[in-house]
Amino acid sequence: ILFYGIISTVGWSWVTKLRILFLNYEVHFIFFSRFSGDCQVDTNQTSGIITTPNYPKDYPNYMECLWTIQLHPAMQITLECDEIAVEYQEDCSFDFMEILAGPSPDSPVLGRYCGVLNYSLTVEREGNMSIRFESDPDKEFGGFHCVYNVFKG
């Protein structure tokens, strides 16, 4: 059994990795804590800005963030991201930004993005919306900058 932990110097973020070798099977577990402060936000405000930690400087490794916009279901949310720059992987399995159709990390995914997008991204939805961001232990980028506004549907 191998067990070790890594403490990040940013906020209260930490990650623990556990590898178990049993009967010729190897199982890996990674446990993340959520970053405190600007990385996990629930809001009912009608407008705001959402950015990765340290934006426009490089975001830290081992991040797991969730920003949730929760309002009356009849309200229309418009999210506009004018800059997205995260580590690229074909299936976006390393670092990624997801836009979710609901208030939890398990909500349906409206879009998953990675790499450097050279265009403005706009998503509109009635009800709740979440933005999820995760980074792995390798390669940091500038992250993203998004603005949201809420209107009567």
Side-chain angles (χ1 to χ4, degrees):
I1 296 178
L2 171 70
F3 175 80
Y4 63 95
I6 300 171
I7 305 294
S8 171
T9 59
V10 179
W12 290 98
S13 179
W14 58 269
V15 64
T16 300
K17 293 184 178 184
L18 175 65
R19 185 178 80 173
I20 299 173
L21 185 60
F22 180 73
L23 298 176
N24 291 329
Y25 291 97
E26 187 171 308
V27 180
H28 296 263
F29 299 93
I30 300 177
F31 305 96
F32 289 92
S33 72
R34 293 203 190 280
F35 184 84
S36 63
D38 293 336
C39 194
Q40 183 174 359
V41 176
D42 295 324
T43 185
N44 60 2
Q45 301 298 310
T46 58
S47 65
I49 297 172
I50 297 172
T51 64
T52 45
N54 296 339
Y55 179 85
K57 296 180 182 175
D58 290 352
Y59 53 78
N61 291 324
Y62 296 112
M63 297 303 305
E64 183 178 355
C65 302
L66 184 69
W67 296 270
T68 302
I69 305 165
Q70 295 192 68
L71 298 158
H72 188 275
M75 301 301 280
Q76 178 80 20
I77 302 169
T78 300
L79 178 73
E80 296 181 39
C81 302
D82 57 7
E83 185 171 341
I84 298 176
V86 298
E87 180 181 5
Y88 176 76
Q89 169 66 17
E90 189 172 331
D91 63 354
C92 295
S93 60
F94 294 160
D95 298 359
F96 62 86
M97 170 196 173
E98 284 182 332
I99 300 174
L100 308 172
S104 81
D106 299 322
S107 298
V109 176
L110 297 173
R112 187 174 204 174
Y113 307 94
C114 64
V116 176
L117 276 63
N118 295 320
Y119 57 88
S120 181
L121 172 71
T122 302
V123 177
E124 293 182 349
R125 170 172 172 72
E126 284 186 1
N128 301 320
M129 179 188 291
S130 295
I131 296 88
R132 180 177 166 202
F133 171 70
E134 288 191 14
S135 65
D136 67 4
D138 188 33
K139 296 181 185 169
E140 307 83 31
F141 288 79
F144 60 83
H145 176 271
C146 302
V147 175
Y148 73 90
N149 288 288
V150 178
F151 308 95
K152 259 188 183 170

